[in-house]
């Protein structure tokens, strides 16, 4: 079953960070490396930001679109949790992968986007993560849009498409010091 290999995606993300940092001079001499994820990919991105094993694996920033964050049955996306952890995970395993419980002062800055009417991944995931980041003194920006549902990250017909691109660009300039 897939849950027996739950570490594979996170191990891949860790390896990717090593490769990006090791090849920075060759690939453009960039100074910062971030991670971005949508939905279940947002869980993977936030996992790397909170469960890295050494400093070289830690992203400098994170951008999360409507992420699965919590394993709390009241607010999680049950299918994502089941795919990652199996049908009957222990409470210890659930807590280990509930990323709102894993935030520390060393978690990288976050830019979070979600829609209040997301019928797939409840917006409470984003809110719980934002609250955990702020409680730990981590720079966090969150934009919640009243409509949009789920899966709009790259859809140009999303009503707030241009707005979120401008907000993200501004955030990157101010918080990550990217030159856009």
């Amino acid at each position: 079953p897939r849950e027996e290999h739950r570490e594979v995606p996170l191990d891949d993300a860790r390896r990717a960070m090593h490769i990006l940092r090791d090849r920075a001079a060759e690939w453009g001499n960039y100074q910062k490396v971030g991670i971005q994820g949508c939905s279940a990919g947002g869980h993977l991105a936030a996992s790397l930001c909170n469960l890295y094993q050494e400093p070289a694996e830690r992203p400098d920033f994170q951008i999360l679109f409507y992420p699965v964050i919590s394993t709390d049955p009241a607010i999680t996306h049950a299918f994502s949790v089941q795919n990652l952890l199996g049908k009957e995970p222990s409470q210890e395993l659930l807590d280990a992968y509930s990323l709102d419980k894993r935030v520390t002062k060393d978690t990288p800055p976050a830019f979070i986007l979600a829609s209040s009417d997301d019928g797939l991944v409840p917006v409470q995931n984003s809110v719980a993560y934002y609250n955990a980041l702020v409680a730990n003194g981590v720079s966090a920006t969150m934009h919640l849009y009243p409509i949009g549902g789920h899966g709009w990250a790259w859809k140009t017909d999303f009503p707030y498409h241009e707005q979120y691109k401008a907000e993200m660009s501004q955030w990157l300039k101010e918080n990550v010091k990217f030159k856009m």
Side-chain angles (χ1 to χ4, degrees):
R2 276 181 254 170
E3 67 269 11
E4 291 177 8
H5 303 284
R6 70 180 132 266
E7 290 297 320
V8 170
L10 185 53
D11 287 344
D12 285 349
R14 288 175 177 141
R15 271 193 298 280
M17 290 301 294
H18 282 284
I19 291 168
L20 287 166
R21 293 196 191 287
D22 290 347
R23 308 287 292 272
E26 178 184 346
W27 290 346
N29 208 27
Y30 44 83
Q31 302 297 309
K32 303 218 176 177
V33 179
I35 191 164
Q36 182 269 317
C38 303
S39 195
H43 188 274
L44 176 59
S47 292
L48 184 60
C49 292
N50 292 287
L51 305 177
Y52 59 90
Q53 296 173 332
E54 56 186 81
E57 296 170 353
R58 179 191 176 272
D60 295 305
F61 63 93
Q62 56 186 310
I63 298 173
L64 307 174
F65 290 82
Y66 36 83
V68 175
I69 293 292
S70 178
T71 60
D72 178 345
I75 65 169
T76 196
H77 180 247
F79 185 68
S80 293
V81 172
Q82 182 178 328
N83 268 344
L84 182 63
L85 304 179
K87 289 186 179 183
E88 296 182 22
S90 68
Q91 189 60 50
E92 180 181 18
L93 197 55
L94 288 168
D95 289 345
Y97 283 88
S98 196
L99 301 171
D100 53 320
K101 296 178 180 180
R102 302 300 303 268
V103 173
T104 71
K105 66 178 180 52
D106 296 319
T107 299
F111 186 83
I112 307 165
L113 305 106
S115 293
S116 297
D117 68 346
D118 190 329
L120 192 61
V121 176
V123 70
Q124 289 87 342
N125 280 268
S126 295
V127 173
Y129 194 58
Y130 174 83
N131 287 337
L133 292 163
V134 171
N136 281 277
V138 176
S139 175
T141 298
M142 182 169 60
H143 294 277
L144 299 179
Y145 304 105
I147 60 170
H150 191 80
W152 46 259
W154 314 119
K155 292 182 179 178
T156 56
D157 63 346
F158 173 58
Y160 302 96
H161 182 78
E162 293 303 318
Q163 180 179 338
Y164 97 68
K165 285 183 4 184
E167 290 164 342
M168 187 179 342
S169 177
Q170 187 66 29
W171 183 81
L172 286 166
K173 287 178 193 172
E174 291 175 359
N175 294 280
V176 185
K177 308 300 186 216
F178 269 27
K179 294 178 177 126
M180 307 290 280

